[in-house]
Amino acid sequence: MTVTAPAQVSATETGLNRITADDDLFFKLHSLYPNALVNQLAYRFETRLDRELLEQWHAHLAVSSVARRVRTTRFPIARAHWEPATSTMPLVWSDEPVADEDALDWFLARAQVEFDPESGEVWQLAGAPLASGGTLVTFVASHVACDGGGAMVALTDSLNRLNAGLAPDRDSSSGRLVGPVAGRGRLAADLADARHQLRAVARGVRAARKAKGVSEPARNPRPVEPKLDLPETYRAADAIVQVDLAEWNAVAHAAGGTTNGLLIGLAVGVFGRTGRIGDSAKVRVDIPHSMREADDRRANATTGLPISVDYRAGERADLPTIRAALKAAGLAYRNPETIPPIQHLQPVQMLLPKFVLHKFARTAKAPECLCTNMGSTAQQIATIGGHRATDIVMRPVVNPGPIELFRGIEVGVNFAFSHDETTARLVVTGADPDRFPTREALQDVIAAEFAAWGLTPRFW
């Protein structure tokens, strides 16, 4: 994720809901790596939900703020904009019960969806009964159309309306945030936006020059060896871990840290235990931070705060140091003069043709350690039509792809944390094929790191 730079023109400045630099980046990457980046919400209920209830929720989502499509323009420099979706993917319902032990695999399979941002087919709702009598439900959305915060806006509003017995309606729901359909004045609007963009480019270049001495923490190069003999298509290893919340909080407090600090400390420990880095290495950790405001019309409104964390083999991460680094990173990203130059150049990025961005993307590197803390926000959407979920998790999805792609972009580990009143849940993705060839390999490393902290993990 990248921060919206001060030089960036607002999405609504020229009337239409123009896409942001982050939206533009995800949209262009979609054409290179279709559906590689999606967000998923996964529910597990002890009660049986019927198909009709999910169809009703689907109808609300179809007019929500996630039901949007990209309307491109042929006018040079002017940005594309968002309009209400013209097409919706139907509910996927399975009458075949899923075995309880196969719930995680069912969720993973449902995340592989072919989305189309230009028609608005950018999200999908699915459900299936559990063999034990419960129900599995999943919502998956393209990162082009929403980040985690954007998804929460649509999900919260649609469920509130469903649970209140209201009828689906775009004008009185979150769907009103998507924006108007371009009319006869589209050419004039595009001309105005082109002028705004040129001014944004000039401001961004000036700001980048002023911040030319600012740098971000470096990432570690991925060692070439070992290189395991694996299939050409690689599926990242995924695990869902549960810990008693009281135990989690007690461990964090005893170590002089916070929930965020313990999350990051565990992630760095798991990353280091793979042998991908050596003792005393500094790990770059990226922490997504929402910039979303009330009635925000943006699809993506997230910044990434990078920090550097020391890894000591055989030792636990220092939580007070992590806490201080997080505070310093937050302060730095509030001041344009301490934001790295690349962030100020986002308006320039939007002018790059797709083939140029593709060239850069093929050599770009993914985060080596990504930590997302969603806190208790998922509890706002835990009830569907009177049924409260036993378990609910949100996660960024890394879909299967060519194994050499994963090696080339040097993906590491992703941690996504959430909790309810009693239980902390972590969705962990290990996306380095030669360190995490299987789910079992990932779980072994997680179990060892948790044991070092005195935590007792329970795996789905």
Side-chain angles (χ1 to χ4, degrees):
M1 310 289 184
T2 52
V3 65
T4 301
Q8 178 63 44
V9 178
S10 70
T12 60
E13 190 169 334
T14 56
L16 298 174
N17 186 1
R18 301 286 177 174
I19 67 173
T20 65
D22 285 344
D23 300 341
D24 176 74
L25 179 61
F26 286 123
F27 181 49
K28 288 173 178 172
L29 288 178
H30 177 87
S31 61
L32 180 62
Y33 306 124
N35 311 307
L37 299 171
V38 301
N39 292 308
Q40 183 176 40
L41 169 71
Y43 291 93
R44 185 161 59 179
F45 293 87
E46 291 183 351
T47 54
R48 183 60 55 89
L49 279 65
D50 58 33
R51 177 172 184 161
E52 181 181 357
L53 177 60
L54 292 188
E55 290 281 12
Q56 292 172 5
W57 186 21
H58 184 279
H60 282 281
L61 287 168
V63 293
S64 73
S65 55
V66 78
R68 59 175 69 202
R69 73 183 186 106
V70 177
R71 180 79 181 272
T72 57
T73 174
R74 294 181 181 179
F75 193 85
I77 305 174
R79 295 169 294 170
H81 65 274
W82 293 109
E83 289 188 353
T86 56
S87 182
T88 299
M89 304 183 83
L91 170 71
V92 176
W93 177 263
S94 173
D95 290 318
E96 185 70 25
V98 177
D100 286 47
E101 62 270 20
D102 294 333
L104 178 54
D105 287 328
W106 185 85
F107 287 135
L108 295 176
R110 290 272 30 103
Q112 298 176 51
V113 186
E114 295 298 319
F115 290 127
D116 179 9
E118 292 190 70
S119 72
E121 293 187 350
V122 289
W123 60 275
Q124 187 174 75
L125 185 66
L130 271 169
S132 61
T135 311
L136 299 178
V137 176
T138 178
F139 169 86
V140 183
S142 168
H143 219 316
V144 179
C146 64
D147 55 15
M152 279 295 298
V153 169
L155 293 165
T156 302
D157 182 68
S158 62
L159 282 174
N160 286 344
R161 294 180 63 83
L162 170 69
N163 296 335
L166 300 175
D169 179 63
R170 188 182 303 277
D171 293 336
S172 59
S173 71
S174 66
R176 72 188 188 283
L177 301 175
V178 174
V181 175
R184 292 177 124 185
R186 184 181 179 193
L187 178 59
D190 285 347
L191 281 168
D193 190 68
R195 290 192 294 269
H196 283 298
Q197 284 299 95
L198 288 174
R199 287 195 288 269
V201 167
R203 291 195 300 268
V205 171
R206 288 195 298 270
R209 286 175 177 169
K210 290 182 180 179
K212 63 181 179 181
V214 180
S215 62
E216 292 185 338
R219 65 190 315 285
N220 296 282
R222 179 184 183 274
V224 177
E225 299 295 336
K227 189 172 184 179
L228 304 182
D229 184 16
L230 298 170
E232 291 185 4
T233 298
Y234 171 67
R235 174 190 287 276
D238 287 282
I240 297 182
V241 193
Q242 295 189 171
V243 180
D244 289 340
L245 182 61
E247 183 179 274
W248 177 279
N249 289 336
V251 168
H253 179 74
T258 61
T259 292
N260 253 355
L262 181 54
L263 169 65
I264 293 168
L266 287 166
V268 169
V270 167
F271 185 69
R273 284 177 182 274
T274 65
R276 180 163 147 171
I277 54 174
D279 187 22
S280 300
K282 292 185 177 296
V283 180
R284 171 172 168 146
V285 181
D286 287 275
I287 303 100
H289 175 69
S290 178
M291 306 290 283
R292 193 164 294 278
E293 302 170 352
D295 290 334
D296 202 317
R297 303 210 297 175
R298 291 175 290 180
N300 289 277
T302 304
T303 180
L305 299 180
I307 65 171
S308 181
V309 179
D310 291 333
Y311 171 71
R312 298 279 189 268
E315 299 181 18
R316 304 188 309 188
D318 186 79
L319 300 196
T321 301
I322 292 175
R323 186 174 189 174
L326 284 171
K327 183 177 180 179
L331 290 173
Y333 269 68
R334 292 175 191 169
N335 183 353
E337 294 184 1
T338 53
I339 294 176
I342 189 66
Q343 307 291 0
H344 293 288
L345 295 176
Q346 287 186 330
V348 179
Q349 166 216 304
M350 296 188 73
L351 299 184
L352 295 178
K354 192 181 296 183
F355 77 88
V356 175
L357 192 62
H358 285 182
K359 183 176 180 179
F360 286 132
R362 288 189 175 95
T363 58
K365 304 301 180 184
E368 59 183 5
C369 187
L370 178 68
C371 292
T372 306
N373 183 356
M374 289 165 284
S376 61
T377 56
Q379 297 311 302
Q380 302 172 27
I381 52 173
T383 301
I384 305 176
H387 300 267
R388 187 167 181 83
T390 308
D391 293 302
I392 177 171
V393 294
M394 295 183 72
R395 69 185 187 108
V397 178
V398 180
N399 274 321
I403 192 168
E404 291 304 325
L405 171 63
F406 283 91
R407 287 171 172 150
I409 63 175
E410 303 183 2
V411 192
V413 294
N414 295 347
F415 273 55
F417 173 89
S418 62
H419 68 85
D420 57 21
E421 294 84 355
T422 61
T423 306
R425 296 178 182 85
L426 292 96
V427 184
V428 184
T429 300
D432 184 325
D434 304 301
R435 276 80 187 175
F436 305 108
T438 63
R439 183 182 301 161
E440 291 71 24
L442 174 62
Q443 289 180 342
D444 287 345
V445 179
I446 293 171
E449 182 63 20
F450 273 51
W453 288 88
L455 291 167
T456 306
R458 302 187 299 274
F459 293 99
W460 281 28

